[in-house]
Amino acid sequence: MSIQVSMVPDATETVNAPRVDRAAYLSRLVQLRGELDAAGSGLKDLRDRATALVQERAMPSTRAEEWRFTDLSPLLQESFQPVVPQPITAEAIIPFGLTDAPHRLVFVDGVYAPSLSTLGDLPPEVQLGNLSRVPGGIPHIGQHQGAEETFTALNTACMTDAAVIWVAQGQEWRTPIHLLVVTTTGAATLSHPRCVVIAEAGSQFTLIEEFVSLEGGGAAWVNRVTEIKLGAGATVNHTRVQRQGAHTFHIGKTAVSQARDSRYVATVLNWGAHLARHHLEIYQTGAQTATILNGLTLLQGEQLGDTHSLIAFTQPYGMANQVQKCIVGDRAHAVFNGKIWVPQAAQLTNASQLSRNLLLSPRARVDTKPQLEITADNVKCSHGATVSQLEEDEVFYLQSRGISAEMARQLLTFAFAAEVVDAIPLPTLRDRIRSELSLRLNPA
Amino acid sequence: MIRDNSDVILAIQDLTAEVDGSPILKGLTLEIKAGEVHAIMGPNGSGKSTLSKILAGHPAYTVTGGSVTFRGENLLELEPEARAKAGLFLAFQYPLEIPGVSNLDFLRVAYNAKRKHEGLEELDAFDFDELVQSKLGLLQMDASFLSRSVNEGFSGGEKKRNEILQMALLEPKLAILDEIDSGLDIDALKIVANGVNELTTPDNAVLAITHYQRLLNYITPDYVHVMEDGRILTTGGKELALELEARGYSWVREEEEAIAR
Ligand SMILES: Nc1ncnc2c1ncn2[C@@H]1O[C@H](COP(=O)(O)OP(=O)(O)OP(=O)(O)O)[C@@H](O)[C@H]1O
Ligand SMILES: [Mg+2]
């Protein structure tokens, strides 16, 4: 099923734009990459293989089914330059502080910034930092299913370093870890931040991964890959916040593999960037595994926010519960494509997916498409999609009690978002998203 | 209670209104003074709920003529929330369900909007909780209704009690009760009617829309108006309601027609 609500024509390639050779364009991006230093030297083979892959590819166009609603032409208009890492001050990132997440790792334009990071007192079982902190290298990097996808391969070909979060077996780490990925938007720059998260068997922790931009007008493009590996019985509560600046581009991948009895909870908030695409891919590799995905996308102006998710079951007794909500205003455009694969071996899978969309303006648009591929016969799978507007009668009911129309809209929109907002594990972040919501509703 | 020197709270003069181009109110005149209880009765579709929603400011209806003065102000110029803050309250015939908005939050936001309007400090969650608990007793409502979404899954009678709970918090100058008795069992009717009576003072007024005398056994009207086809056909005292109950509406129409001739 596909629900499309739109009063504007389908996404087409930007008219009048000069024709760009999409293959040559992509190849050129690889030439912008930085040199490997000692810390990254273990990546050479991986980079070379990915480079070869990228050389065979082209920038996808809207003729490709996977990119049907997301036109990358605005990217093609930019002539991206390699990032020259800008030193930034600690003051510059104060607004992004989370008082309830004491361990903070900061990356600026893809480069680790130890002076801005506050790791705190950590036992050897909890490793935070970058690749140089892991003497033997990371065996898992670049090994996930789907790593050959074009933008993932581009990241692999170009990465020079990676954030590392490694929690050892049985370690139940209580204090949240904040990974802050900062973009300094001076000019049209391209960075490829990478992150590897390893939750060994029986470990537990909470991770906040946040993408922000510093003030500035540049069209920075962040091409992100985060790989998360959960060992047997591990629990990871992951909140991903994409709130980059208004002129930026964000293409991101979160690739998760889950061993048996593990539990992965993701709360994905997406309200920044001019054009954002997130691939959220979960591979359940062991039995009796639980995946909980909560997504909230807030768009206004001419923003485009696209979430492509995949939950791939392979073993019996898997569970997944996915809720994706989009609040779309002005002429913004939200896209959701939710794949769920349940092969023959994944008997007794229990999966549900719900896509709910709230349009705040007549020119807002949403394209939502659940895509369930089920071959196992003894499973419980459900999906649903709704598109709605604020009910004028509900607004009136609240007004008739003395509540202003603005406040009424805010209450109703909060109510729509509540299910996802309440899933955010940190109060500071919850408050931040609430004020972001009211800002969207009453742009003063 | 009728007193000659009371202030006029609501004055409606020759009000005409339509919805989607079809006229519904066709020249309605009504005056309500402080301390009075008015009842409007009338056949289905005569425009009673339309009148109440127009007074509350529902955007679906267009006023095409006449005037409405509420406590000296031109009511029709005010936004719905300003009408509420000026002291007008409508208990809806069909209260809306608002999933996701907790009843307690809703009540607090509404109550604080009024406090702010009156130049008073807003109540914090703790103080408000105390206040609302005291009002629950008046309507014999369980506190569990506060944590649920506004009216969501409430029974018909529970919704009506929730309306009066809102009235109890907002203490309006004029409460329009649109069929507050429908869907109430006998005990609930007594409780709700008592709640309304507790809230009436010489300074405020009630306009109760109903089909049945039984509500008026508890909420005694000073005036009973019969509405038909968008107009007030006739007005009498509380005995008029008893007569309507016994004889229906047609005789009123015939008498009025006879007078017109
Ligand atoms: N929004 C609307 N759109 C179209 N017609 C409407 C609307 N609101 C009211 N009407 C019509 O106006 C007339 C009066 O309706 P209203 O609800 O005011 O009657 P009522 O006197 O309250 O009746 P009841 O006793 O059944 O509650 C009816 O014919 C109704 O169908
Ligand atoms: Mg009615």
Side-chain angles (χ1 to χ4, degrees), chain A residues 321-400:
Chain A
N321 190 343
Q322 179 176 29
V323 177
Q324 172 67 32
K325 295 199 174 182
C326 298
I327 300 175
V328 194
D330 302 334
R331 271 162 300 169
H333 183 182
V335 180
F336 173 65
N337 182 289
K339 293 192 191 74
I340 295 183
W341 292 347
V342 188
Q344 185 60 36
Q347 294 296 355
L348 299 159
T349 290
N350 188 342
S352 72
Q353 178 189 72
L354 186 60
S355 157
R356 290 193 58 199
N357 303 281
L358 178 64
L359 299 182
L360 297 177
S361 113
R363 304 212 45 197
R365 167 174 176 157
V366 56
D367 290 284
T368 176
K369 185 179 176 195
Q371 215 176 318
L372 276 59
E373 291 170 25
I374 303 169
T375 43
D377 39 24
N378 189 8
V379 298
K380 237 166 87 182
C381 293
S382 66
H383 68 84
T386 62
V387 179
S388 59
Q389 289 165 314
L390 288 181
E391 291 287 340
E392 282 312 308
D393 268 341
E394 294 182 2
V395 174
F396 173 69
Y397 186 73
L398 297 175
Q399 278 181 288
S400 77

Side-chain angles (χ1 to χ4, degrees), chain A residues 391-407 411-412 414-416 418, chain B residues 56-58 80-81 84-85 89-90 92 96-101 106 109-110 113 151 163 166:
Chain A
E391 291 287 340
E392 282 312 308
D393 268 341
E394 294 182 2
V395 174
F396 173 69
Y397 186 73
L398 297 175
Q399 278 181 288
S400 77
R401 290 346 182 199
I403 298 169
S404 71
E406 270 156 45
M407 187 67 188
L411 275 173
L412 295 171
F414 280 10
F416 177 85
Chain B
H58 195 290
E81 61 266 35
K85 286 189 277 200
F89 179 87
L90 168 59
F92 286 83
L96 235 70
E97 299 193 3
I98 308 188
V101 176
F106 161 62
V109 171
N151 293 332
E163 294 288 284
Q166 293 164 44

Side-chain angles (χ1 to χ4, degrees), chain B residues 93-136:
Chain B
Q93 183 175 358
Y94 303 108
L96 235 70
E97 299 193 3
I98 308 188
V101 176
S102 98
N103 206 20
L104 184 65
D105 285 351
F106 161 62
L107 295 171
R108 193 179 62 235
V109 171
Y111 182 74
N112 277 334
K114 175 187 145 86
R115 299 266 303 183
K116 205 171 155 195
H117 178 73
E118 290 168 351
L120 298 169
E121 213 176 300
E122 299 186 9
L123 285 197
D124 62 21
F126 188 79
D127 287 339
F128 180 74
D129 204 53
E130 205 164 303
L131 174 74
V132 81
Q133 293 293 345
S134 71
K135 305 284 180 189
L136 283 176

Side-chain angles (χ1 to χ4, degrees), chain B residues 65-83:
Chain B
S67 68
V68 181
T69 309
F70 181 67
R71 302 176 73 204
E73 262 188 294
N74 179 356
L75 185 75
L76 300 176
E77 273 180 357
L78 302 178
E79 292 297 316
E81 61 266 35
R83 298 179 190 203

